Amino acid sequence: GAGVSQSPSNKVTEKGKDVELRCDPISGHTALYWYRQSLGQGLEFLIYFQGNSAPDKSGLPSDRFSAERTGGSVSTLTIQRTQQEDSAVYLCASSLDTGRYGYTFGSGTRLTVV
Amino acid sequence: DQQVKQNSPSLSVQEGRISILNCDYTNSMFDYFLWYKKYPAEGPTFLISISSIKDKNEDGRFTVFLNKSAKHLSLHIVPSQPGDSAVYFCAASQTSGSRLTFGEGTQLTVNP
């Protein structure tokens, strides 16, 4: 597609349930990033995929969070046993190369844990 | 450790006046800086950037200034328009890095 596509756009889940968030990057973009924005906070880095290299998971806040990128394209961010503090907007971005010159964001998934 | 800081959570200006958004950073390895703009329910969109070899970059109504010695950059919007009302994020990257580090954002409101 023309842009970065994320689904669902909104997700309400009960505390303790698992959720999966999907990101479809721009075709041909080798780098893919997940960030999140909690209420009143900035953009917090979560994980970064670049080509076939091992992902940079240094931003994942706990072992309840995991992500994969299949076939170098679509990525899924999984949060297990969700907690209320996981409520945030989860943003995916992609770029042609390392991304240090900027990347294109999707519209995000607003996750609410009740 | 907040390496990129935007100390003003909000800024309100009158239409036609200048908006100045500020950003400070602590990591001296940062050598490329960007500003993103975000409307509600949308992802951030790239606005303007500057390399550390420059101290100013201009694009239409938007100018970014970089003061390396002070580790400070600013975004000037002139004249400000109501459609500029959004959250503005400052971001930074380094040569050896592979991602952007963002500030907390500043909500700009331009009043008609």
Side-chain angles (χ1 to χ4, degrees), chain A residues 51-95:
Chain A
N52 295 320
S53 303
D56 175 358
K57 303 180 182 180
S58 59
L60 294 178
S62 78
D63 58 8
R64 297 186 295 105
F65 288 72
S66 63
E68 61 178 24
R69 188 179 185 191
T70 54
S73 182
V74 172
S75 177
T76 302
L77 177 69
T78 301
I79 309 173
Q80 296 178 310
R81 305 180 303 281
T82 51
Q83 304 294 313
Q84 287 185 329
E85 61 263 28
D86 299 335
S87 296
V89 175
Y90 288 81
L91 291 159
C92 176
S94 70
S95 69

Side-chain angles (χ1 to χ4, degrees), chain B residues 51-103:
Chain B
S51 164
S52 61
I53 62 173
K54 296 186 174 181
D55 55 18
K56 176 182 174 181
N57 187 27
E58 191 172 353
D59 183 1
R61 296 185 297 114
F62 303 92
T63 303
V64 55
F65 295 92
L66 175 62
N67 182 335
K68 284 191 296 181
S69 61
K71 294 191 177 66
H72 177 83
L73 65 155
S74 61
L75 174 68
H76 292 208
I77 307 173
V78 56
S80 301
Q81 300 173 353
D84 296 330
S85 298
V87 177
Y88 289 78
F89 290 99
C90 170
S93 69
Q94 58 190 67
T95 304
S96 61
S98 55
R99 65 185 198 224
L100 302 180
T101 301
F102 287 85

Side-chain angles (χ1 to χ4, degrees), chain A residues 36-60:
Chain A
R36 75 175 176 183
Q37 185 183 14
S38 303
L39 190 63
Q41 302 296 313
L43 297 175
E44 176 189 5
F45 168 77
L46 297 177
I47 188 169
Y48 158 58
F49 296 89
Q50 172 60 280
N52 295 320
S53 303
D56 175 358
K57 303 180 182 180
S58 59
L60 294 178

